[in-house]
Amino acid sequence: MNGFELRKNKKMESILRATIELFCQRGLKAVSIAEIAEKAHVSQVSIYNYFGSKTKLARQAVFSLMDEKTVEFEVLLHSELSFQEKFAQMVFEKTQTRDQYSEAFFQSDIWTDPQIQSYMEEFMQTRAVPLVLDLIEQGRKEGCVNQQISDQAILIYIRMFNEILNRESLSTDIRYEMASLFFYGLLGMPVGCVTGGRFSCYITK
């Protein structure tokens, strides 16, 4: 890669990073190309040359954000933590991430964009689901996941749990309690209990 391509890639990365940051704070509609250009220290002409339009830029920003979060998820799953520690950390990080994003981010029209929806569907099937299945398999090996429950049923359960965590009105304490319910149900251990090293510091207060 020559110097011109390196400078171009660096500019594009800076534009995407600025777009993601502003998009997360205020939503797509409230952010102008001029603001993105100023934050990224590039000209507006460069943004249009590289991405074509604000909508196309927003798409690439969403793709970049999802790729970034997937890499973080992969690093976590490949760590030496136990199944419950990994899941608890996912809940903890999801709570922190949710607090970083504005409601305008989640309500943006970009999420109804056909290309975004198609990308997300393919993303779920080819990247997210295989990673989750790997985590489930670790849970089975550690005796944390019932061997008789199918992958399909577990994926539905996780999807339902994830939809609840996405509700902005939930407090941090309630999110931790939901994580406890995920593992132990209504008759299980309360938040903060530790048995045999499971459900460690990410859940205890």
Side-chain angles (χ1 to χ4, degrees), residues 27-154:
L28 182 61
K29 284 186 178 180
V31 177
S32 67
I33 291 293
E35 289 176 288
I36 296 171
E38 181 179 2
K39 190 170 186 63
H41 305 292
V42 300
S43 69
Q44 295 183 53
V45 173
S46 293
I47 293 178
Y48 285 113
N49 284 340
Y50 294 149
F51 296 97
S53 69
K54 183 179 176 182
T55 299
K56 291 180 180 179
L57 171 58
R59 287 190 192 120
Q60 290 302 316
V62 170
F63 299 158
S64 178
L65 181 60
M66 292 178 68
D67 287 339
E68 178 184 307
K69 293 302 178 182
T70 301
V71 170
E72 293 176 2
F73 188 36
E74 289 173 336
V75 170
L76 173 62
L77 290 189
H78 294 151
S79 71
E80 297 300 319
L81 295 175
S82 69
F83 166 78
Q84 291 195 2
E85 287 172 329
K86 289 177 181 178
F87 194 89
Q89 185 167 329
M90 288 164 55
V91 173
F92 178 76
E93 291 179 351
K94 189 176 183 65
T95 298
Q96 287 190 319
T97 299
R98 179 78 200 199
D99 292 340
Q100 295 172 0
Y101 298 163
S102 69
E103 188 60 26
F105 170 79
F106 294 103
Q107 294 179 349
S108 175
D109 292 341
I110 195 66
W111 302 113
T112 62
D113 181 279
Q115 290 190 37
I116 292 288
Q117 291 185 333
S118 177
Y119 179 87
M120 291 181 68
E121 180 63 29
E122 181 179 357
F123 179 91
M124 287 295 296
Q125 296 303 318
T126 61
R127 298 186 66 179
V129 170
L131 288 173
V132 171
L133 290 177
D134 286 344
L135 181 60
I136 291 170
E137 186 57 31
Q138 178 184 350
R140 289 196 178 103
K141 291 178 180 178
E142 295 177 9
C144 300
V145 176
N146 191 324
Q147 298 280 353
Q148 297 180 352
I149 299 178
S150 68
D151 289 346
Q152 183 180 6
I154 294 173

Side-chain angles (χ1 to χ4, degrees), residues 175-193:
R175 292 174 190 272
Y176 285 139
E177 290 175 16
M178 290 300 302
S180 183
L181 282 171
F182 179 89
F183 291 114
Y184 305 115
L186 295 176
L187 301 179
M189 295 191 301
V191 174
C193 287

